[in-house]
Amino acid sequence: MVKKLRREDGFGFVELLVVIAVIGILAAVAMRSMTSTINDARRIETEREMEMLATAIVGNPSLTADFHRTDFGYVGDIGSFPSSLTALYSNPGYSTWDGPYIPSGFAQDTVSYRLDEWGAAYSYSGGLTISSTGGGSSITKKIADATTDYLSNQFLGIVADDNDSLPGTIKKDSVRVRVTIPNGAGGMSSKNYTPNGSGEFTLDSIPVGTHQLHVIYLPQNDTLERYVTVLPRHVNSSPPVFKFTAGYFSAGGGGSCSGSVLLRPDGVGNFDDLIPSSGAGWQCVDETTADDNTSYVERADNSWADDVYRLPDPASQSCAPISVTVYIRCKREHTQGDCRAVIRTGGNVYTGTTNALTTTWTDYSHSWNTNPATGVAWTWSDINNLQAGVDLRGQNSNFSAFCTQVWVVVTY
């Protein structure tokens, strides 16, 4: 009897190989698709992180209060771009640093915010772009078109008195506009301006941010304190008016017989003992707007020495002078230095209060309400023969004291 073999249903070896090959192809396709999806997700997250870093550097323009922008990031506090991303998280030793500037959820530790989603470090070295190369191709975030957009702006303003009168050519020099800004190195500095006869002034080379502004009427030391907001590429076509609460500029400055005149050095006086940075000493201190480190006189010794400068004769006035105030703008080079205002009247030199200097340019002054040579009220004859200047002493022959500006205000 012949037995028939019965065929069992199932996969043969060749069929099994085909199935394995198909599964491998599908898995490879799936892996490629998954890898592409993961890379896309990493790219999107990296771009989001780079946007956060850029905002940390220059601020978020959508954050406002009372219709004024309030967030200017690292640049607004320091006055410069950071040298590295680390400065956004850790204070590099600056007194004006007010970080961390990156969101707390973004900076889980001291490293992660500096890495893209592939774990590669972002490329940034103080410029205008942040780059990521962890994904194999470069991703770039542009922070700004130019550093000047954030570091060198202008702000326009107008000074007037309580009667909306403008200073005019006579009293414009009696007004000082001072803005305090971050100096780019972790500290603060002041810039001084004098308005024109129409009361107009322009703050120049100003970084973005909210800055303290003082408008001072020198004869009365009347000071307006305000804050101004400077935006990138700032142009304020409608300048704000800063008004004093007295009629300093109108109808004789608040009375039928009151006012002031401002006198600046116009020649060498009887004493010329300080060293000028160039030219004659009086030419180093006679500018309307202080040029600080550009021109100055100095004393490189711990003993006092002075310069006394000739002054122009003021225009004739019908009312008598009340006081003479000498202003000097000075600083020291190292850890020691002093200054004091000086006048020469009646053939003698008289010095004002001694001021201990700092390493920052600062204005000092001293007033004489009577003529120290006569002990009685000033006369216009006294003023016509008046000389004024500065007395300085430094630390030693290596570290000087400096004066960059001298001016005199006579009130009447």
Side-chain angles (χ1 to χ4, degrees), residues 119-191:
Y122 288 113
S123 177
Y124 177 79
S125 57
L128 297 173
T129 59
I130 304 171
S131 298
S132 161
T133 56
S137 59
S138 180
I139 307 172
T140 300
K141 170 60 181 177
K142 187 176 183 180
I143 303 171
D145 292 328
T147 56
T148 53
D149 291 347
Y150 285 85
L151 303 180
S152 186
N153 293 282
Q154 292 187 338
F155 183 91
L156 311 181
I158 298 173
V159 179
D161 70 4
D162 188 46
N163 299 315
D164 293 320
S165 296
L166 303 175
T169 57
I170 295 177
K171 294 189 177 180
K172 65 182 181 65
D173 286 339
S174 295
V175 179
R176 176 62 53 85
V177 179
R178 179 179 302 144
V179 63
T180 303
I181 58 176
N183 62 13
M188 303 294 289
S189 62
S190 296
K191 302 186 71 172

Side-chain angles (χ1 to χ4, degrees), residues 39-236:
N39 279 333
D40 286 344
R42 285 176 172 171
R43 171 179 284 272
I44 291 171
E45 183 61 19
T46 294
E47 290 174 344
R48 186 183 74 86
E49 290 181 353
M50 292 167 70
E51 180 69 32
M52 289 183 184
L53 290 171
T55 299
I57 294 172
V58 297
N60 185 350
S62 65
L63 296 179
T64 62
D66 296 327
F67 306 104
H68 292 287
R69 178 173 168 177
T70 58
D71 182 24
F72 295 92
Y74 179 97
V75 173
D77 288 339
I78 307 301
S80 64
F81 282 74
S83 59
S84 68
L85 296 179
T86 305
L88 299 176
Y89 186 87
S90 301
N91 189 346
Y94 294 161
S95 63
T96 59
W97 193 86
D98 194 28
Y101 296 93
I102 49 182
S104 57
F106 179 28
Q108 293 87 359
D109 53 56
T110 60
V111 176
S112 62
Y113 71 95
R114 290 181 281 150
L115 305 177
D116 63 20
E117 288 300 297
W118 292 274
Y122 288 113
S123 177
Y124 177 79
S125 57
L128 297 173
T129 59
I130 304 171
S131 298
S132 161
T133 56
S137 59
S138 180
I139 307 172
T140 300
K141 170 60 181 177
K142 187 176 183 180
I143 303 171
D145 292 328
T147 56
T148 53
D149 291 347
Y150 285 85
L151 303 180
S152 186
N153 293 282
Q154 292 187 338
F155 183 91
L156 311 181
I158 298 173
V159 179
D161 70 4
D162 188 46
N163 299 315
D164 293 320
S165 296
L166 303 175
T169 57
I170 295 177
K171 294 189 177 180
K172 65 182 181 65
D173 286 339
S174 295
V175 179
R176 176 62 53 85
V177 179
R178 179 179 302 144
V179 63
T180 303
I181 58 176
N183 62 13
M188 303 294 289
S189 62
S190 296
K191 302 186 71 172
N192 293 278
Y193 303 85
T194 299
N196 61 22
S198 298
E200 300 167 344
F201 64 87
T202 301
L203 310 180
D204 60 352
S205 302
I206 305 297
V208 297
T210 300
H211 308 304
Q212 187 180 47
L213 185 76
H214 289 100
V215 183
I216 310 164
Y217 184 61
L218 297 173
Q220 304 294 331
N221 201 30
D222 189 357
T223 303
L224 301 177
E225 181 179 345
R226 300 290 186 270
Y227 286 86
V228 296
T229 300
V230 177
L231 303 174
R233 300 174 296 278
H234 191 90
V235 178
N236 55 323

Side-chain angles (χ1 to χ4, degrees), residues 360-384:
T360 300
W361 288 109
T362 304
D363 293 344
Y364 304 93
S365 66
H366 188 88
S367 296
W368 286 267
N369 295 325
T370 59
N371 185 338
T374 63
V376 298
W378 290 97
T379 68
W380 287 112
S381 177
D382 296 334
I383 303 302
N384 289 340

Side-chain angles (χ1 to χ4, degrees), residues 298-302 333-334 394-402:
E298 66 176 297
R299 175 64 170 170
D301 193 274
N302 190 239
E333 187 172 11
H334 196 45
Q395 182 168 343
N396 51 43
S397 60
N398 295 318
F399 300 109
S400 300
F402 305 91

